[in-house]
Amino acid sequence: MLHIVKAELNDLEALMVLFDQYQRWLAIRPPLSQTRAFTEQRLREQDTCILTASYQSSMVGFVHLTPLYSLARARRGLIINDLYVQPDSRRQGVARALISHAHKEARARQAACLLLQTHQSNHAAHHLFESFGFICDVSQYYFLDVTD
């Protein structure tokens, strides 16, 4: 049976295995020590929310929610900043369960909205998100990498 829970500090090592796979999949390779320190800080400060999916005792996926503050709405929203499921666990409802729990978390936090971005070619993800009622916004989106 699939279990979805909020990650805690004692989940850090299992998360690092998934994060390493996720970063390889994205072809993004910051040093693992940097990822570990950043994730540990998030878990300690609880300023974001990482939900994990596990079968028995094996972590197979996660969704990372970060806050968004809207002055226009005078409310907070949440961004699905990262979503990953191990390849051998895909097409088994793991991503659907993670999105469902992310939606519940947003409602529990009285968030005004739940936002996400995915690659244009990721049609399976588009279908999944649209099945939850997400609407593809066609407004301009800009990105500026400000790292050195």
Side-chain angles (χ1 to χ4, degrees):
M1 177 176 229
L2 185 66
H3 295 281
I4 309 290
V5 297
K6 287 183 188 176
E8 297 179 355
L9 195 55
N10 62 352
D11 296 315
L12 185 60
E13 294 309 312
L15 282 169
M16 288 301 95
V17 172
L18 279 180
F19 289 177
D20 183 54
Q21 294 171 5
Y22 177 56
Q23 290 171 335
R24 288 175 191 266
W25 180 69
L26 290 173
I28 299 172
R29 300 297 299 150
L32 191 57
S33 60
Q34 180 181 344
T35 302
R36 179 184 309 278
F38 184 79
T39 304
E40 183 175 352
Q41 185 177 13
R42 301 288 63 77
L43 293 171
R44 285 190 190 282
E45 295 180 12
Q46 298 181 9
D47 55 355
T48 67
C49 176
I50 302 170
L51 301 174
T52 63
S54 298
Y55 281 119
Q56 297 170 353
S57 61
S58 181
M59 200 176 286
V60 298
F62 70 91
V63 63
H64 178 212
L65 304 170
T66 58
L68 166 75
Y69 299 95
S70 173
L71 292 175
R73 293 179 182 229
R75 290 181 63 192
R76 178 177 50 189
L78 289 175
I79 299 172
I80 296 176
N81 223 11
D82 303 283
L83 172 65
Y84 180 75
V85 176
Q86 289 180 327
D88 60 349
S89 296
R90 292 180 186 161
R91 304 255 182 229
Q92 296 178 29
V94 177
R96 178 170 294 285
L98 285 165
I99 295 294
S100 179
H101 278 75
H103 183 250
K104 289 176 188 173
E105 184 70 22
R107 291 182 64 87
R109 293 177 182 225
Q110 298 179 345
C113 60
L114 191 56
L115 303 172
L116 62 87
Q117 177 191 3
T118 189
H119 198 275
Q120 288 178 324
S121 65
N122 194 343
H123 300 294
H126 300 170
H127 179 72
L128 172 65
F129 301 139
E130 289 169 4
S131 75
F132 277 95
F134 283 88
I135 298 168
C136 183
D137 183 352
V138 295
S139 64
Q140 291 291 327
Y141 176 80
Y142 295 91
F143 175 81
L144 175 63
D145 187 346
V146 296
T147 60
D148 292 333

